[in-house]
Every structure is written in structure tokens, then in C-alpha cells.
Amino acid sequence: MTSIAQDADVTPPQEILAQADRMLMAPMDWSRLSGGRTNAIWRVVSPSGDWVFKLFDESRANPLFPNDPKAEIAALCGLKGNDLAPEFVAQFATSKGPCLIYTYLPGASVAKTDGSVLRALGQLHALPTPLGFGRLMSAHQRYWQTEIGF
């Protein structure tokens, strides 16, 4: 079974293009972002800003990696103002799954842990845990204990 991420073209589905037309000013320059085993991600640059559209494939969720757009929204909102995550903009439904929109943050993937990664992790772990995340962690811990044996 392939995922949306594997099947996605450079140009997003028509439903995403239509939503972008309602929100952003033309011209729009779309590009497919790399990464993501499960979900398809596009960057769009327009006079309105530099944004990311992330199309979720909820059929690829599992107990270890729920692939939950609501949890991602909660994380993005919880990290707002800490320079650790993009800013959540909006969400909408498509026939292929939920789609999140957030601001684009420039940067590069790192192949190994370096000082900047360690500083970001330190900053992240110094923050208070957002409400509801304890429940999510408990579900992950139960999975590891019952299914994996850790």
C-alpha cells in the first residue's frame, strides 16, 4: 500500500489549490517538500506569504505514530512564540484527508545531531507540557509496554 506522500505530485490536489486561491494572492509558486513517509507536504510562496500545506493520510496511523492532525495542531499552538515550530494558520478537510496550513520556516535538515539540535531540544524540554499531552504519552507508553515488551 502506498501513502499519499509516495503518490503525491509536485502540484497539490485541486481541493488544496482551490483553498489556496481563497486564502492567498496570486501568483503562487508551488513546490513539493521532501521528507515525510506518510503525508504529502507542499510549500507555496505568494505575495501573501510563505506557507506550507500538509495533507494527512490518516489510514497510515498506528499506535506508535498516530499521524493525528489534531495532536499536531495542539503541538504547534503549544510551541507558538518559542521559535521552535512554524505557526499554525488553518485546517480544512479534503476528500483525501485533513490538510493543515502553517507558516514556512527556512532551514535545512541535519544529518547528525549538532549544537543547534541540542540547544533546540534543551529549549523544548524546558517548556511546560501542554494540556492533554500526558494522555498521549500514556498511550504511547502502554503500547511500548504491551506490544513491544519494554
Side-chain angles (χ1 to χ4, degrees):
M1 177 166 110
T2 61
S3 69
I4 289 175
Q6 294 164 328
D7 292 339
D9 294 321
V10 172
T11 304
Q14 188 57 44
E15 292 169 277
I16 291 177
L17 294 173
Q19 182 70 28
D21 283 340
R22 288 188 287 275
M23 295 178 66
L24 307 173
M25 293 174 20
M28 291 179 234
D29 181 29
W30 290 89
S31 59
R32 178 77 194 278
L33 295 177
S34 62
R37 272 181 0 106
T38 306
N39 305 311
I41 307 167
W42 296 271
R43 176 183 179 190
V44 59
V45 180
S46 84
S48 305
D50 199 346
W51 302 29
V52 171
F53 283 69
K54 181 175 184 179
L55 179 59
F56 279 77
D57 184 351
E58 291 180 306
S59 70
R60 305 274 296 179
N62 65 60
L64 185 56
F65 300 105
N67 199 31
D68 181 356
K70 291 177 185 164
E72 185 158 327
I73 291 168
L76 292 172
C77 291
L79 293 171
K80 183 177 180 177
N82 289 290
D83 295 325
L84 289 170
E87 185 175 331
F88 172 70
V89 175
Q91 66 176 320
F92 63 99
T94 76
S95 62
K96 294 180 184 274
C99 187
L100 301 187
I101 306 169
Y102 47 87
T103 56
Y104 176 79
L105 291 180
S109 297
V110 293
K112 62 180 182 172
T113 303
D114 63 8
S116 67
V117 172
L118 295 174
R119 282 188 294 281
L121 284 171
Q123 188 179 354
L124 174 66
H125 287 281
L127 296 173
T129 304
L131 292 176
F133 273 78
R135 176 191 51 77
L136 180 63
M137 289 307 298
S138 295
H140 284 275
Q141 289 167 343
R142 278 193 305 279
Y143 174 78
W144 277 98
Q145 290 169 349
T146 59
E147 301 295 326
I148 309 290
F150 280 98

